[in-house]
Amino acid sequence: LDEANPENRFNLGWIDTVNALLDEVATAGSSSKKGLVITATGKFFSNGLDTDYVFANGDKLPGYLDSVHDIYTKVLTLPVATVAAVNGHAFGAGAMLALCADYRIQRADRGFWSLPEAALNMPFTAGMAALVRTRLTDAAATEAMLTSRRYGADDAAAAGIVEEPVPADDLLAQQLRAERAQANDVGHRRAVPPFRQHRHTDDAAHVPARRNARIDSHQAAVFVVQRLASSEKGTCRLAKTFLNQ
């Protein structure tokens, strides 16, 4: 953990560091025969947006939110298997980062996954809302987004937010097992034509036909985050709404 950012918030330095690391993974590609495990140490997986920066730099909010969307898109489109090992609290943007991974496990005895935006009177960006709705069932997405419920590992697994709760002592070992299992599937999933080629279309009918629920969820998330987050006008509307709360 960075002593200046013990909650792994999405501050500018953190974003730059994570982007550089994701670029390294993308460059190595599937030829490396390795997957990516996204995790942290300490109390937090990630506590989300850097709200101090947001409220002090309203004029820079659209660009800041776009940089958050870019991280989601990079994780979703990596040519390797990805596992999110949620070691502690995952709130807001950090909770959504976990959703970008192919497989998610959560520490059983400590930490919550939560989208607190409704409780804080903060709107979701169009891309973030669509990401949640394409990764979770309608019922789980609606409850998570509208109630700001805090899900412990057992509840998160029951809601389909994570695949399984894992005891703290077994978290690292299970990360590796999950990564290897996902690596066996990643070649087929990445072979699906990416939704990014449809980024500039406006008709939902242009979305490629469903292959299966797992592939559809992954590819749909790529599509909606890129398509909705790429609209400067939409982001600016969100920024104005956020600042007026």
Side-chain angles (χ1 to χ4, degrees):
L1 288 176
D2 182 346
E3 292 184 0
N5 184 22
E7 298 178 0
N8 285 321
R9 287 187 179 268
F10 285 54
N11 65 34
L12 298 182
W14 185 93
I15 289 173
D16 288 343
T17 298
V18 171
N19 267 322
L21 293 171
L22 292 175
D23 287 342
E24 288 183 20
V25 175
T27 298
S30 57
S31 62
S32 69
K33 297 182 180 180
K34 295 180 179 180
L36 172 68
V37 176
I38 304 172
T39 191
T41 58
K43 182 178 178 180
F44 289 90
F45 175 78
S46 172
N47 205 13
L49 299 181
D50 183 353
T51 51
D52 289 341
Y53 175 86
V54 166
F55 288 115
N57 297 275
D59 59 321
K60 299 177 181 177
L61 182 57
Y64 172 73
L65 293 173
D66 284 343
S67 69
V68 175
H69 294 145
D70 286 344
I71 285 182
Y72 295 160
T73 301
K74 284 187 178 183
V75 175
L76 286 162
T77 57
L78 285 172
V80 300
T82 56
V83 175
V86 182
N87 59 288
H89 298 312
F91 292 150
M96 287 179 265
L97 174 61
L99 290 182
C100 294
D102 300 318
Y103 195 86
R104 298 171 292 279
I105 60 177
Q106 183 174 348
R107 179 172 173 172
D109 65 319
R110 186 178 72 181
F112 294 104
W113 183 98
S114 179
L115 300 175
E117 282 78 2
L120 299 174
N121 200 27
M122 294 169 59
F124 291 88
T125 68
M128 289 175 178
L131 170 65
V132 175
R133 289 211 161 275
T134 54
R135 294 304 254 177
L136 303 181
T137 65
D138 287 344
T142 298
E143 180 182 62
M145 295 174 73
L146 298 184
T147 69
S148 298
R149 177 179 174 180
R150 294 187 173 194
Y151 296 83
D154 289 336
D155 290 340
I161 296 168
V162 300
E163 274 65 35
E164 58 180 314
V166 177
D169 293 341
D170 194 38
L171 191 63
L172 177 59
Q174 184 59 23
Q175 292 172 31
L176 299 178
R177 287 193 293 268
E179 181 271 321
R180 294 189 189 104
Q182 292 302 302
N184 293 329
D185 176 59
V186 72
H188 171 65
R189 179 170 53 76
R190 300 303 182 194
V192 177
F195 274 37
R196 67 170 62 191
Q197 61 187 294
H198 298 275
R199 179 171 179 173
H200 299 294
T201 64
D202 293 320
D203 189 346
H206 290 296
V207 175
R210 173 174 297 198
R211 293 281 294 276
N212 60 51
R214 174 180 168 78
I215 291 172
D216 181 69
S217 171
H218 183 92
Q219 295 292 338
V222 176
F223 171 66
V224 295
V225 171
Q226 289 184 327
R227 178 170 177 265
L228 297 176
S230 66
S231 169
E232 181 178 353
K233 182 181 295 184
T235 303
C236 288
R237 283 200 300 269
L238 180 280
K240 291 178 181 178
T241 302
F242 186 93
L243 292 171
N244 287 331
Q245 299 304 314

